[in-house]
Amino acid sequence: MNKKSLLFAFLLAMLTVVLVACGGDDKPAKENEKGEENNEAGSADKPKFMSLLTGGTSGTYYPLGGGIAKVISDETGIQTDAVSSNASADNIMSVEAGDAEIAFAQTDVATYAEEGINAFDGKPVKNVVGLGALYPETIQIVTVGKSGITSIEDLKGKKVSVGAPGSGTFINAQQILELHGIDIEKDIDAQYLDFGESAGGIQDGNIDAAFITAGTPTGAVEELKASAEVVILPMDEAKIDELVAKYPYYAKDVIEEGTYGLKEDVTTVAVMAMLVVSRDLPEDVVYDMTKALYENTDKIAHDKAKFIDGKTALDGVGIDVHPGAQKYFDEVNK
């Protein structure tokens, strides 16, 4: 091909490119404009599915989580599924790793995660933030009448469930036992069981007592009541004051007479249950989730739903709160 023909072919190709670009300018421009609008609203990054990590199926997290997941699904259009898990510490680690978007956790465990202590020793989480607090989680030290155990000090030398590995219950057990002069590794025969396994172990006589940190009444303990006299070990007022002074996320709590067939009120302590979310979730998505939860508690078929309140949702939360959740709480607490 001579130079003249080559030049002509080049000019023709360039003209074709220009014509195509001009001819298609209108439609792509509209698509781009729409895309930019979506990005500004955050909907371009809106997930289609989310996982909500809960806890063992015999605790409070799992059934309550099912109700919360349904509300979020119905109100936001994002399919959200409640998934059973080992609870607090493991839940936070899973959200940090990107394996889930939302999770239940105790407020104390969330604080440990942010500070990089206890189960998170030297590995503070960076990508997990708070959505809001839900309800008080009572530390219940459960045994039965025939065990002869009437005080926390009586647990020395006994076979005691201290919660599933990675759970907040384990840390509660460790701190409370230590306060009473009991080393979790040396002074008891520690068993690392979930709530259902703990109740079954007490019933079968395989263990003597169990720490259960959950909202009351707890399903596993209710099941135990059907076959035995449930005893909840009390905490002395002075010990409660000492515990709260050392760990401010604890608060005095009372398990009322009649719960599990108890003949009188039992004084103990509690932490708060909360939801944590991935920091990567868009602000508008978390705002919608938060609004959906705190304004539709009447649609959650669980006793603990009555405690879920936007006006107190930051009580006990010691970690950073997601901007989307904070925006909602700022609006309702004006």
Side-chain angles (χ1 to χ4, degrees):
M1 183 181 291
N2 59 36
K3 291 183 178 179
K4 187 173 182 180
S5 299
L6 186 61
L7 179 60
F8 178 80
F10 174 77
L11 292 173
L12 182 61
M14 290 297 295
L15 180 61
T16 301
V17 170
V18 171
L19 288 173
V20 169
C22 291
D25 183 66
D26 186 51
K27 186 175 180 180
K30 290 181 180 179
E31 290 176 350
N32 288 339
E33 183 181 348
K34 183 178 180 181
E36 287 169 4
E37 289 172 357
N38 285 341
N39 283 334
E40 287 173 5
S43 56
D45 297 324
K46 181 177 179 179
K48 293 182 179 179
F49 304 98
M50 293 191 296
S51 292
L52 168 57
L53 300 181
T54 59
T57 55
S58 298
T60 302
Y61 285 177
Y62 184 72
L64 179 60
I68 291 174
K70 186 176 187 306
V71 162
I72 292 174
S73 297
D74 292 346
E75 299 296 322
T76 69
I78 303 172
Q79 179 60 44
T80 304
D81 298 318
V83 182
S84 63
S85 70
N86 279 335
S88 294
D90 279 5
N91 286 356
I92 290 171
M93 291 175 185
S94 293
V95 174
E96 176 77 356
D99 296 330
E101 292 76 25
I102 323 167
F104 277 77
Q106 293 173 198
T107 50
D108 54 336
V109 178
T111 298
Y112 306 149
E114 189 169 82
E115 294 178 357
I117 60 175
N118 293 325
F120 307 89
D121 189 21
K123 297 179 180 178
V125 301
K126 303 293 185 184
N127 204 41
V128 179
V129 290
L131 183 143
L134 301 173
Y135 64 90
E137 287 200 280
T138 306
I139 286 80
Q140 305 165 70
I141 309 174
V142 183
T143 186
V144 288
K146 65 181 181 181
S147 72
I149 298 170
T150 60
S151 70
I152 295 175
E153 287 82 2
D154 289 344
L155 294 175
K156 272 193 175 182
K158 299 297 194 294
K159 190 176 285 188
V160 182
S161 173
V162 293
S167 70
T169 300
F170 173 78
I171 298 170
N172 299 145
Q174 190 175 41
Q175 292 170 341
I176 290 170
L177 289 171
E178 181 184 357
L179 188 72
H180 290 80
I182 300 173
D183 188 302
I184 200 168
E185 295 180 356
K186 299 176 181 177
D187 297 330
I188 63 170
D189 184 357
Q191 305 293 304
Y192 305 93
L193 309 175
D194 66 23
F195 298 161
E197 292 167 339
S198 294
I202 294 173
Q203 183 176 5
D204 297 339
N206 294 326
I207 63 172
D208 301 299
F211 279 78
I212 292 179
T213 302
T216 57
T218 306
V221 186
E222 286 276 80
E223 291 174 14
L224 179 61
K225 183 191 76 171
S227 60
E229 178 196 358
V230 170
V231 173
I232 307 293
L233 302 182
M235 280 191 69
D236 180 80
E237 293 276 358
K239 289 293 186 184
I240 291 174
D241 291 343
E242 190 178 342
L243 185 71
V244 173
K246 189 171 184 179
Y247 306 109
Y249 37 74
Y250 283 106
K252 178 181 173 181
D253 197 12
V254 174
I255 303 174
E256 294 182 353
E257 172 190 351
T259 308
Y260 311 131
L262 296 173
K263 295 180 175 60
E264 58 185 20
D265 291 351
V266 175
T267 304
T268 182
V269 291
V271 291
M272 291 294 289
M274 69 178 295
L275 288 180
V276 297
V277 295
S278 169
R279 191 185 294 272
D280 293 337
L281 284 174
E283 181 176 327
D284 66 315
V285 170
V286 178
Y287 174 88
D288 290 344
M289 287 164 48
T290 309
K291 182 180 177 70
L293 169 59
Y294 288 93
E295 294 188 3
N296 291 279
T297 55
D298 59 318
K299 298 177 183 176
I300 300 173
H302 195 285
D303 288 343
K304 293 304 171 189
K306 65 187 178 186
F307 293 100
I308 302 174
D309 186 344
K311 294 189 179 298
T312 57
L314 297 181
D315 291 356
V317 176
I319 65 171
D320 291 344
V321 176
H322 194 287
Q326 187 65 59
K327 179 181 177 183
Y328 174 75
F329 296 133
D330 287 345
E331 291 177 0
V332 299
N333 292 306
K334 282 181 179 178

